[in-house]
Amino acid sequence: MLYRTPPGSEVTRRAVVAGTGVLAVSATLAACSNDGNSAPPASAPREPAAAPGLDAPPAAQSLASTTAIPVGGGAVFPSQQVVVTQPVAGTFKAFSAICTHSGCMVNKVAGGTINCPCHGSKYDIKDGSVVNGPAPDPLEERKITVSGDAIQLS
Ligand code: FES
């Protein structure tokens, strides 16, 4: 680009470049400003619409029938990563099926414990506490509701 200055002018190339930058910033700011009295242009981004159901509490998820959970035992639901137990008749408990040792999924409820196949950890079916390590912590309890013979994961 060629910049010509009249003889004796003090305008330098640097001043011209700086002035061009100021004009560009001013034009950008003017385009972005809104004095509040005018409607936004049709192409202006609009407030995102709330996704349906986003503010609503999550719907309960049907998990199983109470008849599928043996008294003194339980069942693992891999898709939901949850294990449901029935330590005594009519009392249902639910826990995360993810072992607290290294994150394997427990795969069996037997002998009064929830068992992890990876390194042998066992958890009590009553409260998810560690009966046999190496798991360092109990299984996290999950909230369920029992309505009639339907067990729902909250
Ligand atoms: Fe379960 Fe190691 S991951 S015992």
Side-chain angles (χ1 to χ4, degrees), residues 29-74:
L29 290 175
C32 294
S33 70
N34 185 351
D35 60 6
N37 295 328
S38 60
S43 63
R46 298 175 185 212
E47 289 289 321
L54 203 56
D55 294 332
Q61 185 177 7
S62 181
L63 201 56
S65 168
T66 56
T67 58
I69 313 299
V71 176

Side-chain angles (χ1 to χ4, degrees), residues 3-95:
Y3 293 97
R4 291 189 184 177
T5 60
S9 170
E10 298 293 324
V11 177
T12 64
R13 180 177 176 193
R14 181 172 294 177
V16 170
V17 171
T20 304
V22 168
L23 285 175
V25 169
S26 297
T28 301
L29 290 175
C32 294
S33 70
N34 185 351
D35 60 6
N37 295 328
S38 60
S43 63
R46 298 175 185 212
E47 289 289 321
L54 203 56
D55 294 332
Q61 185 177 7
S62 181
L63 201 56
S65 168
T66 56
T67 58
I69 313 299
V71 176
V76 179
F77 298 89
S79 300
Q80 293 84 4
Q81 298 186 343
V82 67
V83 55
V84 177
T85 63
Q86 187 177 188
V88 295
T91 299
F92 295 90
K93 301 287 230 170
F95 306 96

Side-chain angles (χ1 to χ4, degrees), residues 80-130:
Q80 293 84 4
Q81 298 186 343
V82 67
V83 55
V84 177
T85 63
Q86 187 177 188
V88 295
T91 299
F92 295 90
K93 301 287 230 170
F95 306 96
S96 166
I98 304 302
C99 181
T100 62
H101 176 232
S102 290
C104 289
M105 188 174 303
V106 299
N107 70 342
K108 191 183 302 179
V109 182
T113 57
I114 302 162
N115 306 327
C116 179
C118 291
H119 311 100
S121 289
K122 296 183 180 205
Y123 302 89
D124 194 297
I125 64 169
K126 293 187 297 295
D127 57 9
S129 61
V130 177

